[in-house]
Amino acid sequence: MSAPLRLVFLGSDPIALPLLDWLTGEGRALAEVIAVFTQPDRETGRGQKVVPNAIKTWARERDIMVYQPEKLTDDVRVHYAILGADVALVMAYGHILKDPFIETPRLGTFNLHASILPRYRGASPIQSAIASGERETGVAFMRMVRRLDAGPVADVERVAVGPRDTAADVEAKLAAACVPLMERMLPGVAEGTLVFEPQEDTQATYCRKLTKEDGSLDFAASATELAARINGLFPWPGCSVEIGGQNVKVGQADVAGEESQATGETPAAAGTVLGSDAEGLLVATGGGVLRILKMQRPGGRMLAAAEFLRGFPVAAGTVLPSKPMPVLVATQPFKKA
């Protein structure tokens, strides 16, 4: 490569911050971030204050141009074209790009998607992969097309998912994984030497935007399924269970007693609290014993379960109510509500 690529970044989620830091640091010889497109400022938090997102804040601190269109209109595309970008990089932007936008940069538009494609196309790939029990995920680098996360893929940077990893833990791993992936990809983009392989559409799965209703727990499921669900949906939307008339959030879990889990033995009816050990609250399930590791009462902080239980005891024999768990992953795209 000679001169750095003129790069426009389109994204709205802090998962991209380590990559952006690298692009303006060690990676600046490969690409120069000339502008950022991100979502308009939104109301957020309990006070519903209008605040900029992390990507906008990052760009402003570095005097990089920021565009926040509510819609990608023809007028916006004219301004986009004037930037004279060599390449556009999209990650968790929140807008669908039409062909005129995709085709505007000289060398093309590329997307970083947080899954091992073609699995987990859609809006919640990190949470859905963990909640589905995956022990590996990754970041895929693909050429963008109009279809949902369906473009051909050049490379994937893989990361392990531990049995106690939450979505927050895995997101941090994936954020870091973007850096070595782009370090490999940018020279090939500049030189036109990357090989993009079509995705196998018959193997595709899809995930959707999550809602608070997704945080319900059905203790008739196995301990393995429940632990994956709890970890995958933390911190958002978070799982919860009713205990003593209060809605208690659960933030992390694993399986207690691998032998009973393997044989499917259950020492009591599903949802029955069996007691606690040094790490967490033990609950019978439809297969094996679930150990809840972190808990939070209304208005309180998320605490290690041992600390939580000192101030909020849960007696053995208490039966935790079950609620149906909405489907998170499908073999076809979810219909918009």
Side-chain angles (χ1 to χ4, degrees):
M1 287 180 59
S2 51
L5 294 173
R6 290 173 56 80
L7 184 147
V8 174
F9 178 78
L10 301 94
S12 306
D13 192 283
I15 191 173
L17 290 176
L19 173 60
L20 291 171
D21 284 339
W22 176 80
L23 285 169
T24 53
E26 294 179 12
R28 64 184 179 275
L30 297 175
E32 174 192 3
V33 181
I34 60 170
V36 163
F37 279 67
T38 192
Q39 286 283 326
D41 299 346
R42 307 289 190 196
E43 294 180 346
T44 186
R46 291 184 179 179
Q48 291 295 285
K49 294 182 179 179
V50 178
V51 296
N53 65 42
I55 301 299
K56 178 182 178 178
T57 299
W58 177 92
R60 289 294 195 205
E61 289 172 351
R62 291 157 180 81
D63 294 323
I64 294 172
M65 289 185 292
V66 177
Y67 297 85
Q68 296 179 277
E70 192 69 55
K71 295 183 178 180
L72 297 178
T73 63
D74 290 341
D75 287 342
V76 172
R77 197 194 73 79
V78 170
H79 290 288
Y80 185 53
I82 291 171
L83 293 170
D86 296 315
V87 61
L89 181 64
V90 183
M91 187 176 196
Y93 180 27
H95 278 312
I96 296 174
L97 272 63
K98 296 182 179 180
D99 288 341
F101 278 86
I102 293 172
E103 296 164 1
T104 293
R106 180 175 65 89
L107 297 174
T109 299
F110 303 92
N111 181 225
L112 289 170
H113 183 71
S115 79
I116 301 174
L117 292 167
R119 295 178 63 78
Y120 305 107
R121 296 176 179 177
S124 57
I126 300 172
Q127 297 90 337
S128 297
I130 301 167
S132 298
E134 300 288 356
R135 285 291 170 255
E136 184 181 58
T137 187
V139 181
F141 181 82
M142 66 180 172
R143 186 178 290 278
M144 187 162 241
V145 299
R146 281 290 304 278
R147 290 174 56 219
L148 179 64
D149 299 325
V153 176
D155 200 358
V156 176
E157 184 75 12
R158 297 171 182 258
V159 303
V161 179
R164 292 186 176 184
D165 278 351
T166 66
D169 298 323
V170 175
E171 181 172 315
K173 293 182 184 182
L174 292 169
C178 292
V179 173
L181 178 61
M182 289 305 300
E183 192 170 13
R184 295 196 301 271
M185 296 295 96
L186 284 172
V189 170
E191 296 160 9
T193 57
L194 292 181
V195 176
F196 288 85
E197 297 291 342
Q199 294 185 42
E200 181 53 68
D201 288 343
T202 60
Q203 302 300 313
T205 60
Y206 298 86
C207 51
R208 56 176 171 77
K209 186 175 181 179
L210 300 174
T211 70
K212 289 183 179 180
E213 287 69 33
D214 292 318
S216 58
L217 296 172
D218 182 357
F219 292 98
S222 72
T224 298
E225 292 173 288
L226 287 161
R229 185 94 173 193
I230 291 167
N231 294 339
L233 300 190
F234 182 80
W236 171 258
C239 291
S240 62
V241 64
E242 184 181 324
I243 305 177
Q246 296 195 50
N247 193 49
V248 175
K249 293 182 180 179
V250 292
Q252 189 182 39
D254 69 2
V255 176
E258 295 294 340
E259 290 184 5
S260 67
Q261 174 62 25
T263 60
E265 296 176 3
T266 303
T272 303
V273 174
L274 303 175
S276 61
D277 62 13
E279 292 191 281
L281 185 72
L282 304 176
V283 183
T285 73
V289 177
L290 175 72
R291 177 165 46 206
I292 299 174
L293 300 165
K294 291 185 178 181
M295 306 174 73
Q296 178 182 356
R297 67 193 305 170
R301 296 182 297 112
M302 185 66 69
L303 300 172
E307 181 180 357
F308 175 90
L309 293 170
R310 285 196 288 270
F312 193 113
V314 181
T318 300
V319 178
L320 306 182
S322 290
K323 294 182 180 179
M325 299 190 297
V327 173
L328 302 181
V329 181
T331 56
Q332 297 292 328
F334 286 87
K335 293 181 179 179
K336 292 184 179 180

